[in-house]
Amino acid sequence: MTAPVLVIGEALVDIVSGGPANGGGSAHGRNGKNGSKATPGGSPANVAVGLARLGLPTELVTRFGTDPYGDQLGAHLFGNGVQLTPGSVDPSFRTSTATAKLDAAGVASYEFDITWDPPALSLRRGCPAVHTGSIATVLEPGAEAIGRFLSSLASEPVTVTLDPNARPTITPDRVSTWGAVRELAATADLVKLSDEDCEFLRPGLSPDEIAAELLSVDRTKCVVITRGGEGAIGVSRAARVEVAAPAIEVVDTVGAGDSFMSALIAGLQSRDLLGAVRLEGLNEESLRDVVDYAVKAAAITCTRHGADPPTAAEHKAAWG
């Protein structure tokens, strides 16, 4: 693979406070007031970093400023080998933030100060996959631009992946949000949800019922639902797998779902399932392998402070 995976969405700074071991942090964080720590984040940006750390060329379409938070983001992204499309760094733009409050178990809840207005979207020749999700897919004016772009890829030889990553504080109306997710999911080959997404978007339905809804359209071929410490479920047209999560000591869960998503894409690429094939050939064995790889990547992230996805070497060293 020579052309990079294209990731579209927000890059922001997570301001993290609380948790079972507050005061530590990863090397890319900055200490703040009251024991808080500012670390680069944003779900799509985290996915881009995770992909690059796993060895995939990666390009991110985003928007942040040249203020101190923006400088921190830029150093983090460039330092991890993520390419930025023209217009992603804008001196007139104020870098967005998310305040993450950790409970005693290290589970994060978020409040956002964000503006989302991306630069022009285009597809590079040979791009094997396009990924998007989270706030970028629901916050205007960028959400409409993403919707148009994904719709334009219907005949392109590229795999589209989506992680809605529902944020009730931004989109509290679950009915309209699920409608928007369904519309965007219909343009994606793979959709990843968390159990929290499912509980908010489709309360009362089982993961398999939700997967069946999303697989009812022609394009979508796989749905993966993460279940925190219980692992994940993968459902395709041909198979259903359940993968358990390894036992770990959780520091916090910030960025775990994004690490899972990047490892899922990387696992599919390693099996030549991206690009023009659009997941054709995703059998039970391959589905189990890629979900297991992703679960273990997320587990590593949960043992560290902040959104700190593993490299390919770290993943191999931990799990073989």
Side-chain angles (χ1 to χ4, degrees), residues 293-309:
Y293 186 74
V295 164
K296 289 173 176 174
I300 292 173
T301 301
C302 288
T303 66
R304 315 201 285 212
H305 287 276
D308 191 6

Side-chain angles (χ1 to χ4, degrees), residues 241-296:
V241 302
E242 293 189 27
V243 175
I248 57 168
E249 184 176 344
V250 175
V251 172
D252 67 50
T253 64
V254 177
D258 304 326
S259 293
F260 183 101
M261 188 70 240
S262 57
L264 199 60
I265 296 170
L268 292 167
Q269 173 61 24
S270 72
R271 290 159 179 78
D272 296 321
L273 292 169
L274 299 182
V277 300
R278 287 182 175 175
L279 308 187
E280 292 295 343
L282 181 63
N283 56 28
E284 182 176 355
E285 181 182 2
S286 295
L287 180 59
R288 185 177 302 278
D289 285 348
V290 297
V291 174
D292 181 68
Y293 186 74
V295 164
K296 289 173 176 174

Side-chain angles (χ1 to χ4, degrees), residues 182-205:
R182 283 293 306 271
E183 183 176 354
L184 204 58
T187 69
D189 301 283
L190 181 147
V191 182
K192 176 253 178 190
L193 298 163
S194 69
D195 50 4
E196 292 179 343
D197 294 333
C198 293
E199 290 167 10
F200 170 65
L201 294 169
R202 299 297 282 155
L205 293 187

Side-chain angles (χ1 to χ4, degrees), residues 101-178:
K101 296 181 179 179
L102 305 179
D103 64 17
V107 177
S109 60
Y110 294 87
E111 295 179 1
F112 296 92
D113 180 6
I114 182 171
T115 301
W116 172 239
D117 186 9
L121 304 176
S122 62
L123 187 69
R124 185 183 298 198
R125 178 176 296 180
C127 174
V130 173
H131 173 76
T132 192
S134 195
I135 298 168
T137 62
V138 295
L139 189 63
E140 300 297 353
E144 183 179 355
I146 289 176
R148 288 196 307 268
F149 179 65
L150 295 191
S151 295
S152 75
L153 302 180
S155 60
E156 296 291 338
V158 62
T159 301
V160 176
T161 64
L162 172 69
D163 178 6
N165 204 359
R167 303 293 192 183
T169 57
I170 290 179
T171 55
D173 186 335
R174 71 178 79 238
V175 175
S176 63
T177 302
W178 176 243

